[in-house]
Amino acid sequence: MLCFLFLLLFGIIPLLGQSQSTICAKGNSICIPRDYSKFDLPNETQTVVNVGIDIKDIPKIADKEFSVTLNAFFVVRWKDERLVIDQDKIEKNLGPDDDPDAWIPVDVSFIKEFWLPDAEILNLKEFETLNVLSKLEGLWLNRNFEIMYAVATRITFICPMTFNSFPLDVQVCLFQVGSFNYDNTKMVFVDEFIADQTQIRSVLDYSIQIKELPEHQKNYVALTGNYSVAGFVMTLHRKVSHYIITCYLPSGMFVIVSWISFLIPPDVVPGRMTLLITVFLVLVNIFNTITTNIPKAEGLTAIEAWVIGCVLFVFGALIEYAGILLQMKMRASASLLAHKKPPSPKIINNLNNEIPLQIVSHTNGACKKNEESRKPKSPKVYNEKLRTAKMDLMFLVLFPCIFLIFNIVYWVGFLYVIPASS
C-alpha cells in the first residue's frame, strides 16, 4: 500500500504536471514549450506583423456622423519561432497535392496560449465581430512558424469629412492599424494585402477607390514615440447624377424660363409679374429643401451656391422689370402734370367793339373721346415703347451670356480647381 502511494506521488503527478505544462495541437506536431511566455514579444529585436482587411461591402457612410462602416475579414499574420514544430508530423497532416508551406487549420481555442499583437485601429468608433452559430473566426499555422488569425467583423471608423464642395466633394479616409504599446523600434506593421475595389459591393452614392498608404502615413507620432501603422487610403467620389437630375437641371431650367419675361410687353403687368414671382418662389423653396437635407459645412456648399446664383438671376429679371415700370410711371406722371396746366385763353381781335369770346371745350365726354381716338398717336409714345423693347432685348442677350460665364466658372472651379488645391 505504501509502495502504491509512493509511486502515485512521485511518478504519476510529475507526469501530469509535465503534460499540463506542454500544449500541443494536430497530433503533437505543433506544441508550445513549457518556458513559453505569451506576454513577451516573439522577437526581442523587432517583430513584424502583417495586417490585411478583406473588405466585402460598405453598407453605410454616415455624412452627419463622419463615419464609414465596413463588413470585412480582419486578417493578422506574424511569426513566432518559439513554437516547437515537428516537421515530419506536419507533412503527415498535409495532403499529397498540398503545398509544403500550406496553412494548417488549428482549433481557435489554441490562440489563447499564443502571444497576440496589441493591434489598435486609429479613429475606431466600433469593432463588432460577427456570429452565426459561433464567432466567425479561424486560426492557421504553417511549418515556417507563422501564425495567421482571421475574424469576420463590422468595423466603423471615423473619417474627417468636409462638405464645402457638396455634392461635388471627394472624401479621403485613412484606415490605419498599429500597435498600442510598442513603437516602431519594437514592432512594425506591414500590409498583408490591399482589398480589391472591384470586388467591393456598395449601394451607396459613392464610387470607391482604395490604395496603399503613402510612406508619410505609415508612421504616426504619439507621446511615447513613433509608431508603425499599416492600412489603406479610401477615396470616396460622390455620384453627382442624382443631384443633377433633382436640383441642377430644374433650377437651371427655371432660370431659362424667367428669360421669357423679356418677350412679354411691359404693359402686360399681371402676366409678366406672375411669371417672375412664381419662378422666384419655386427657387426659394428648392433652396430651403436643399439646406434641410444636405450635410452641414463651414460655409456655403457648392449646391447652395448654385441655387443662390439661380435665385439672383431671377431676381435680376425682376429688378429689370421694376426699372421699366418705374420709367413708365415717371413718364406718365410727367405727362399728367403737363396736361394739368391751364391753357391760356385765346382772344379774338375785336375791331367792332364786340365782346371777346373764349374757346370753350366740349362738355360732352363721349365726343371728346371720339375726337382723341381719331387723332394719330404721337411719336413720343412710339419712342417710349421702342426704348423699353430695346432694353428687354438687351437683357435677353445679356442674361444668357452671364449665365454661361457663371456655369463655366462654377463647374471648372468645383470640379478641377478646388480639388487640385486641396
Side-chain angles (χ1 to χ4, degrees), residues 70-309:
L70 313 173
N71 287 332
F73 287 102
F74 188 79
V75 182
V76 185
R77 179 175 64 87
W78 68 95
K79 192 172 186 178
D80 194 343
E81 295 183 348
R82 297 176 297 174
L83 298 177
V84 177
I85 297 179
D86 191 329
Q87 300 293 339
D88 295 332
K89 293 182 179 179
I90 286 289
E91 292 181 0
K92 294 179 181 179
N93 291 319
L94 297 175
D97 299 329
D98 292 339
D99 186 4
D101 297 329
W103 292 99
I104 302 172
V106 182
D107 189 86
V108 179
S109 60
F110 199 48
I111 199 172
K112 297 178 181 178
E113 310 299 331
F114 289 146
W115 171 87
L116 296 176
D118 57 338
E120 174 196 13
I121 300 177
L122 303 185
N123 298 323
L124 179 66
K125 184 177 181 180
E126 185 179 1
F127 189 92
E128 178 186 357
T129 57
L130 303 182
N131 299 272
V132 181
L133 298 178
S134 60
K135 185 186 294 186
L136 299 179
E137 58 182 349
L139 178 65
W140 295 265
L141 292 90
N142 64 15
R143 65 194 309 165
N144 299 321
F145 302 94
E146 290 181 326
I147 304 170
M148 183 170 65
Y149 174 72
V151 58
T153 62
R154 175 168 293 171
I155 304 172
T156 303
F157 66 98
I158 302 298
C159 176
M161 301 179 183
T162 56
F163 300 104
N164 294 331
S165 299
F166 179 92
L168 308 174
D169 54 327
V170 177
Q171 309 297 341
V172 179
C173 305
L174 298 179
F175 186 90
Q176 297 171 307
V177 183
S179 174
F180 186 78
N181 293 307
Y182 302 101
D183 58 17
N184 54 12
T185 61
K186 297 292 183 67
M187 189 178 299
V188 175
F189 278 75
V190 182
D191 291 311
E192 177 76 4
F193 56 84
I194 300 297
D196 185 3
Q197 62 192 28
T198 60
Q199 302 297 323
I200 299 175
R201 298 185 301 271
S202 177
V203 293
L204 307 171
D205 57 345
Y206 289 94
S207 59
I208 300 167
Q209 184 179 10
I210 296 179
K211 293 183 178 180
E212 184 182 355
L213 281 175
E215 288 299 326
H216 69 277
Q217 295 288 355
K218 292 185 177 181
N219 288 277
Y220 77 97
V221 180
L223 294 176
T224 57
N226 295 328
Y227 289 80
S228 172
V229 294
F232 55 83
V233 179
M234 178 182 292
T235 306
L236 306 175
H237 296 266
R238 195 183 299 272
K239 299 175 183 177
V240 194
S241 58
H242 169 73
Y243 300 95
I244 290 178
I245 295 172
T246 58
C247 177
Y248 284 98
L249 189 60
S251 56
M253 291 177 65
F254 281 124
V255 172
I256 296 173
V257 167
S258 68
W259 300 339
I260 300 176
S261 65
F262 299 133
L263 302 176
I264 301 176
D267 297 335
V268 188
V269 177
R272 188 162 176 172
M273 188 62 72
T274 302
L275 172 64
L276 292 176
I277 292 297
T278 302
V279 172
F280 183 80
L281 293 178
V282 169
L283 287 175
V284 171
N285 187 38
I286 292 175
F287 178 78
N288 293 332
T289 304
I290 288 172
T291 54
T292 304
N293 297 325
I294 66 173
K296 303 301 178 184
E298 295 179 358
L300 285 177
T301 61
I303 195 169
E304 289 174 331
W306 169 267
V307 178
I308 288 177

